[in-house]
Amino acid sequence: MSTSAHSPVELSASAAGQARTGGTVTDRLVEANTRYAAEFDDPGMDARPVLQVAVVACMDARLDLHDALGLALGDCHTIRNAGGVVTDDVIRSLTISQRALGTRSVILIHHTNCGLESITEEFRQELEAEVGQRPVWAVEAYKDADQDVRQSMQRVRTSPFLLHTDDVRGFVFDVTSGLLREILPVA
């Protein structure tokens, strides 16, 4: 079963056409943007999210956060990374989101069948062996999404840089049903 919105046959034909024309996926996306921009009307918004919420989620292509949460353009800040884990860079983004752009709530979303559940921190050592330099960042791999959501909630709630830590909630998104399951913090 493909997780792509495009069928394998469509991609194969597209890839064959790209090989003949020298085009790439990026070329196709830039062409799509040209069509989008031709009909674009400036919505007149600023960078402050209407709902004053920041959503931190995994970068997994199966998560359509706006549709899953009933969000429209301008409703939220969306911060995505591998696993949706709260790293120093996520804290940086949340700090800017809250202090400069008015968000007050944080929603954390991990998901079932995440790729970070299938790798380990040894990924860093493998990279070092391959390229001769160990990454300075942690992989943040985990085996238990619920526990990692709890850890991420705790990281947000205890950050000295964040102004609003009283409305921080965490969820696991089921990639087969589309439902969110709330994870309660450790009491």
Side-chain angles (χ1 to χ4, degrees), residues 28-177:
R28 188 182 70 191
L29 298 176
V30 170
E31 289 171 16
N33 174 256
T34 301
R35 290 187 298 276
Y36 170 80
E39 297 181 19
F40 183 77
D41 289 319
D42 180 358
M45 300 175 179
D46 68 11
R48 294 175 179 272
V50 173
L51 298 179
Q52 297 181 317
V53 63
V55 179
V56 178
C58 185
M59 65 186 191
D60 192 296
R62 295 171 290 181
L63 277 66
D64 184 343
L65 294 173
H66 277 76
D67 274 354
L69 300 174
L71 296 168
L73 181 66
D75 281 349
C76 72
H77 283 161
T78 306
I79 304 162
R80 295 181 80 156
N81 67 19
V85 296
V86 175
T87 61
D88 286 345
D89 195 58
V90 168
I91 294 293
R92 178 186 72 86
S93 294
L94 287 172
T95 301
I96 293 166
S97 178
Q98 287 189 357
R99 290 181 176 265
L101 298 166
T103 60
R104 301 183 64 82
S105 300
V106 178
I107 296 174
L108 306 171
I109 301 177
H110 286 28
H111 65 91
T112 59
N113 196 26
C114 184
L116 279 189
E117 295 173 336
S118 64
I119 63 175
T120 67
E121 290 296 324
E122 288 187 19
F123 182 76
R124 293 174 72 228
Q125 286 77 29
E126 294 166 6
L127 281 173
E128 180 180 19
E130 181 182 331
V131 303
Q133 182 177 342
R134 182 179 293 182
V136 296
W137 39 262
V139 175
E140 297 278 352
Y142 57 84
K143 296 293 181 200
D144 182 341
D146 292 19
Q147 180 55 34
D148 204 71
V149 168
R150 285 186 195 94
Q151 177 177 304
S152 290
M153 283 190 286
Q154 187 64 18
R155 285 178 177 173
V156 171
R157 287 189 170 130
T158 60
S159 173
F161 306 110
L162 299 175
L163 295 172
H164 307 289
T165 58
D166 54 324
D167 188 13
V168 178
R169 294 174 64 184
F171 301 85
V172 173
F173 177 86
D174 187 312
V175 297
T176 60
S177 72

